[in-house]
Amino acid sequence: MQEKIGIYGTGTIGSGQATLTIGNGCETVVIGHSKGGQERCRRAVARNWDDLIAAGLATEAAKTAALERMTITDDPAALAGCTFVFEAVSEDLAVKRQVYQTIRTHGGGDVIIASCTSSLGAEELGDLCGDPEHFLVAHPFQPVHLQPLVEVVPCGATTEDTMARAKALLERLGRQVVTLKKSVPGFLVNRFAQALFRESLDLLEKDVATPADIDRAVKYAVGMRYASIGLLEYFDAVGFELERAIAENVYPTLCNTDKIQKIVSDGIRDGRTGQKAGEGLYRWDEDSLADFRVRLQEPFLKSVENWSARK
C-alpha cells in the first residue's frame, strides 16, 4: 500500500521526519500551528539537505525536487487523504488528545497515527486517539533523518494490519525497526540511556572521573563494541560464570537512586541546563556546538545512500 504521509509538528523531530520522507520520494504534509514554527521547520529541512549536499550525498536538483514534495501549513484540512500520520508534538496529553481528534477528523478513514513520543506509554496514548486499532508508537532517534533505528510499540488494541503497514513504511524509508511486545516506560533505548546517565552522574558526584573521560570510556568501549555486536551477544561471549562473578563485585556498588541527582538539580537552579544555556556538564560556544552537530550526524551519513530521491 502506498501511504500518503502527514507529519503533525514542526520541531526538531517533525523537520527530521519530513527530511526523510521527502528524501524517499514521498509527498508529505506537515502541520504546524505557528508561522514561526512553520518557518523554522522549512529552514531546518533545507539545512539538512545542505548538509547532505556538502557531504556529496545529494544534489541541488534533488533538494529542490524534495522541497516541492513538502507542504507546510497550519490548515489541518491538508491532511485529507493522509493514510499515515507521524505525531511529533509536545509531551502533553491534552495537546496530543486534541491533535489525535484533528487527525481523525481530517485524515483518511483508516489513517494510522504513529506517535514519536519518547516518554509516554502506548496504552495511555492509544486511549486518547479514539481508534486505538490504528494507533502505535514509532519512536525515532536524533538526527531523525539519519539515525535508522525506530522503536515500534503497539497498544493493546493495535491490529496486526496496523503493525504490518507501519513496518512496511518504515522499512521503505530505510529504518531499522525494533518491535516491543508491550509498552514500558522509556521503551528500550531510553531505559539503557537512563541507566548509563544515572551511573555516570553518580561517578561525577563521587569525583571518580571527569565528564570528558567518562565520555571517552563510553565512546571507545561501549560505543565501538556494540556498533558491531549486540549487548546480549557479548554477554554470551563472556559467559554466565564470569558475568556472575563481575556482577557480584559490581552490583552492590552501582547507583540505585530513584531521584534526580544533586548535580542536575543544582544545574537547573543555577541556569546551567546544557547546550541551550551555553553550559551544562560542558561549556558550549558556537564552535563546539557546530562540532557536536557534525559528529552527531557523521556515523549515519551513509544511510542516505539508500534514499530513493537524493539525486
Side-chain angles (χ1 to χ4, degrees):
M1 173 179 183
Q2 183 74 22
E3 306 284 3
K4 182 179 178 183
I5 296 173
I7 297 169
Y8 212 114
T10 54
T12 301
I13 302 299
S15 59
Q17 201 76 264
T19 305
L20 174 68
T21 56
I22 63 177
N24 282 277
C26 302
E27 296 289 333
T28 301
V29 174
V30 183
I31 304 295
H33 288 306
S34 75
K35 295 298 182 185
Q38 293 170 44
E39 185 54 36
R40 283 192 298 274
C41 179
R42 190 173 282 107
R43 288 198 305 267
V45 173
R47 185 177 69 171
N48 289 338
W49 277 92
D50 289 340
D51 289 343
L52 300 180
I53 293 167
L57 292 166
T59 64
E60 287 286 354
K63 172 188 173 183
T64 299
L67 293 178
E68 290 175 353
R69 286 190 287 273
M70 179 177 68
T71 300
I72 303 179
T73 178
D74 61 358
D75 184 2
L79 293 171
C82 282
T83 59
F84 199 106
V85 178
F86 292 99
E87 172 267 299
V89 299
S90 61
E91 299 286 66
D92 182 303
L93 292 176
V95 171
K96 290 185 186 293
R97 183 195 299 274
Q98 184 174 11
V99 166
Y100 296 162
Q101 290 173 348
T102 300
I103 295 171
R104 294 284 177 224
T105 299
H106 296 282
D110 61 349
V111 59
I112 291 175
I113 297 177
S115 177
C116 297
T117 182
S118 59
S119 63
L120 297 174
E123 298 295 340
E124 188 175 22
L125 294 178
D127 288 342
L128 300 179
C129 77
D131 182 11
E133 293 86 357
H134 291 102
F135 174 85
L136 49 77
V137 169
H139 175 224
F141 297 88
Q142 297 190 42
V144 173
H145 61 298
L146 299 177
Q147 225 283 21
L149 185 68
V150 178
E151 295 176 315
V152 173
V153 190
C155 67
T158 307
T159 66
E160 291 184 7
D161 179 67
T162 295
M163 292 293 287
R165 282 174 55 190
K167 186 175 181 181
L169 173 60
L170 292 168
E171 289 181 345
R172 178 190 164 198
L173 296 173
R175 304 301 86 185
Q176 292 289 328
V177 178
V178 170
T179 304
L180 276 66
K181 297 179 181 179
K182 59 183 178 181
S183 185
V184 293
F187 311 130
L188 295 183
V189 175
N190 275 336
R191 292 182 77 88
F192 303 151
Q194 290 302 318
L196 283 171
F197 290 154
R198 181 169 68 174
E199 186 61 30
S200 297
L201 294 173
D202 187 60
L203 291 169
L204 285 176
E205 290 191 334
K206 291 176 177 174
D207 201 26
V208 172
T210 65
D213 278 333
I214 290 172
D215 279 349
R216 194 171 292 115
V218 171
K219 282 191 288 187
Y220 290 101
V222 178
M224 292 182 71
R225 174 186 290 159
Y226 300 128
S228 57
I229 62 171
L231 177 70
L232 298 181
E233 285 183 312
Y234 186 70
F235 191 96
D236 267 2
V238 173
F240 284 23
E241 293 87 357
L242 179 53
E243 287 292 357
R244 179 180 64 182
I246 295 170
E248 287 173 344
N249 287 324
V250 176
Y251 274 15
T253 72
L254 289 175
C255 179
N256 64 357
T257 182
D258 60 0
K259 295 180 173 58
I260 298 299
Q261 284 104 326
K262 186 174 183 295
I263 194 172
V264 177
S265 301
D266 287 353
I268 293 172
R269 181 198 64 202
D270 297 337
R272 295 179 286 101
T273 55
Q275 287 186 349
K276 290 182 180 179
E279 184 179 359
L281 302 174
Y282 290 88
R283 291 185 182 276
W284 298 95
D285 56 21
E286 288 187 9
D287 289 342
S288 58
L289 285 169
D291 176 66
F292 177 85
R293 186 164 171 270
V294 169
R295 289 186 289 114
L296 181 66
Q297 297 184 54
E298 197 168 27
F300 309 110
L301 284 172
K302 283 185 68 66
S303 68
V304 178
E305 294 177 354
N306 295 320
W307 286 16
S308 62
R310 69 182 181 91
K311 290 188 175 180

